[in-house]
């Protein structure tokens, strides 16, 4: 049983204890990274010892937000804190010894499995960063420029720089306060939202040139072949959020991304939908996958052409 | 001589007069359109008669924000109001008879020529929408959902959905209040920032595939040929903000877009720079054009290949 904590409970608990090790989740995004950096910074400013676990999956673009807080190998924490993570299997690589005793989880995913001894959870927030903001305000009454920088990264990443549909009035209110507190929003926006590598540009060129449309344009399919990946020489970091591309086409309510994997004949498929007729989870379940109603996926051991045909047959039942 | 008006002066003046015709500027963007719609709506809610001039350059994506306010042909206003427009030559087509007596200009461009009888100008605002927000709050003390919708379009468009470097803490504060007032931000974000036509997608595919890099990647060049435009079948609306694409490449400090025009051998060139070494205005001045230090342009009667060579020779002097 996890003890459910309010924001002020959480601030009080953090204030009463010490020696924290903060974890980011697998395939870390700006929200988990920004939250971890902000919490470490805020706790240190409150006189505590706090480090961030060295999640080796942290990509180049996010490293700056935790670089100053990475725990030394011999650090022996009193308390493990996991931020922006709904379940224990999101603990990063090489952290098995910490998963048995998570003192505190701070999260905004409604699907949180309440795996921690204490849980501060509010699914109404667009980003976990907004919760950390409230906790640090309750803890210290103010936010430093260093903390604001991390929190701005958290809040802006999870909302696609305030353009995604999860954005709320509170997201913008907190972002405004973070800029007033000194967050370098221009620099972060440029870094996170207005920069693409040359390889990413090349891949997008190939993808956009090959978009296919079905059902009078309601379905847009983007196919990423092994050849495209090789020619563009893209890394996993370059492929960030690549599955969102077909969904931006005017009139397309279902955006499908089929990625040819390196294993022979294998494909990874992502389905995004804004159509009330198509439940992405239901579509992907047919192929042994799943997810959410608006975003789901599956992997399959078949070549691209067969996968595409099977998907279109399935979609015909829905549309 | 224009009388400079504060926000409360402007609200008081609007309250004391009636029968307004509001103008959007040439090649209208979301800021001028959203401001005009919001001002018309807010004035009507305050019991005034207010219409928006039918600017025939208004594109499909923005029409909804002014569609309910378009002036009938026989409307004879007492006062002409021009929003988000720095100079008289930005009056739209077929509006010559109104330019001689502009009662009020509300604007955020520091370059405003003070052409109106009264001017409410504050260059510190990222969008004119933020000024209209303050004026309507001073006029009525609240913002309706209909007004908030128009103002959200204004504020978000001029800041690229809060990602451009002009975004301030105030922009986000006002956007947050507009959402609280009922602005359908999810729908507007999807419409304005997360929708691309199929033709635009096709053009971006061709452009991204053809980006060229010079000076170790500091200069990125995007070339839009007549063929590309024909094959993708893009309209001017589809080409919106196309000159910003090369500037997003990692490492590129100078983004150049060369567009082949329909006249034989003519090109339109846009230069965007974030490099302290390269002044876009100075570069474009060499070719008979000009603009701002960070964004400038020119047209030239030469084929693409010659233009590119001449530009690279000029840039070599700066870099």
């Amino acid at each position: 049983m996890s003890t459910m904590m309010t924001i002020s409970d959480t601030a009080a608990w953090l204030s009463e204890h010490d020696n924290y090790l903060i974890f980011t989740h697998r395939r870390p995004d700006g929200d988990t990274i920004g939250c971890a950096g902000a919490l470490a910074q805020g706790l240190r400013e409150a006189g505590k010892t706090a480090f961030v676990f060295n999640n080796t999956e942290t990509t180049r673009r996010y490293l700056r937000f935790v670089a100053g807080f990475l725990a030394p190998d011999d650090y022996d924490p009193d308390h493990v804190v996991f931020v922006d993570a709904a379940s224990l299997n999101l603990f990063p690589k090489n952290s098995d010894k910490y998963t048995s005793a998570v003192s505190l989880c701070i999260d905004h995913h409604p699907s949180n499995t309440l795996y921690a001894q204490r849980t501060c959870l509010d699914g109404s927030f667009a980003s976990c960063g907004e919760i950390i903001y409230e906790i640090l305000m309750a803890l210290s009454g103010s936010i430093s420029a260093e903390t604001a920088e991390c929190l701005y990264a958290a809040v802006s990443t999870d909302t696609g720089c305030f353009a995604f549909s999860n954005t709320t009035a509170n997201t913008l209110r907190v972002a405004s306060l973070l800029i007033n507190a000194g967050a370098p929003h221009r620099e972060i926006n440029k870094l996170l939202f207005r920069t693409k590598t040359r390889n990413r540009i090349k891949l997008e060129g190939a993808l956009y040139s090959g978009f296919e449309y079905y059902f009078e344009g309601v379905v847009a399919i983007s196919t990423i072949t092994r050849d495209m990946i090789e020619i563009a020489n893209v890394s996993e970091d370059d492929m960030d959020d690549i599955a969102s591309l077909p969904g931006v086409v005017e009139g397309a309510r279902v955006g499908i991304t089929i990625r040819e994997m390196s294993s022979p004949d294998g494909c990874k498929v992502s389905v995004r939908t804004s159509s009330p007729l198509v439940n992405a989870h239901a579509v992907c379940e047919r192929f042994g996958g799943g997810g959410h109603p608006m975003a789901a996926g599956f992997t399959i051991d078949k070549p691209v052409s067969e996968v595409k045909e099977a998907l279109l047959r399935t979609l015909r039942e829905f549309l």
Side-chain angles (χ1 to χ4, degrees), chain A residues 109 116 147 150 241:
Chain A
H109 295 96
T147 308
C150 291
D241 203 32

Side-chain angles (χ1 to χ4, degrees), chain A residues 53-72:
Chain A
F53 181 79
N54 187 10
N55 184 339
T56 53
E57 287 187 298
T58 306
T59 53
R60 199 162 49 100
R61 73 169 67 193
Y62 295 126
L63 194 58
R64 62 183 273 178
F65 302 107
V66 289
F69 307 108
L70 296 180

Side-chain angles (χ1 to χ4, degrees), chain A residues 13-14 17-24 35-37 39-40 43-44 48-55 69-83 91-92 94-99 101-106:
Chain A
W13 185 87
L14 287 167
H17 297 80
D18 203 347
N19 296 317
Y20 300 103
L21 183 58
I22 305 161
F23 285 78
T24 55
C35 284
L39 191 55
L43 285 169
R44 287 184 184 190
K48 304 292 179 185
T49 299
F51 287 99
V52 174
F53 181 79
N54 187 10
N55 184 339
F69 307 108
L70 296 180
D73 287 342
D74 61 350
Y75 178 59
D76 186 23
D78 291 340
H79 293 289
V80 164
V81 181
F82 203 9
V83 290
F91 255 90
N94 307 315
S95 63
D96 293 352
K97 69 172 172 172
Y98 298 104
T99 58
V102 183
S103 296
L104 174 66
C105 164
I106 304 170

Side-chain angles (χ1 to χ4, degrees), chain A residues 221-241:
Chain A
I221 299 187
S222 166
T223 306
I224 312 175
T225 64
R226 280 200 295 267
D227 272 1
M228 286 178 186
I229 290 174
E230 201 171 306
I231 290 167
N233 192 27
V234 283
S235 65
E236 279 307 314
D237 203 16
D238 289 328
M239 306 273 281
D240 190 43
D241 203 32

Side-chain angles (χ1 to χ4, degrees), chain A residues 144-145 148-150 152 175 178-186 188:
Chain A
S144 69
E149 175 167 346
C150 291
Y152 184 86
L178 292 172
I179 293 172
N180 279 333
H185 65 294
R186 296 185 174 88
I188 296 177

Side-chain angles (χ1 to χ4, degrees), chain A residues 85-153:
Chain A
S87 64
L88 270 185
N89 60 20
L90 290 169
F91 255 90
K93 287 175 189 163
N94 307 315
S95 63
D96 293 352
K97 69 172 172 172
Y98 298 104
T99 58
S100 60
V102 183
S103 296
L104 174 66
C105 164
I106 304 170
D107 191 22
H108 71 128
H109 295 96
S111 57
N112 191 290
T113 61
L114 308 182
Y115 54 84
Q117 291 159 17
R118 296 160 197 83
T119 306
C120 178
L121 174 70
D122 191 332
S124 72
F125 285 100
S127 61
C128 190
E130 289 162 69
I131 304 178
I132 301 283
Y133 172 84
E134 300 299 342
I135 291 171
L136 292 177
M137 284 300 285
L139 183 70
S140 307
S142 69
I143 296 286
S144 69
E146 292 75 17
T147 308
E149 175 167 346
C150 291
L151 285 179
Y152 184 86

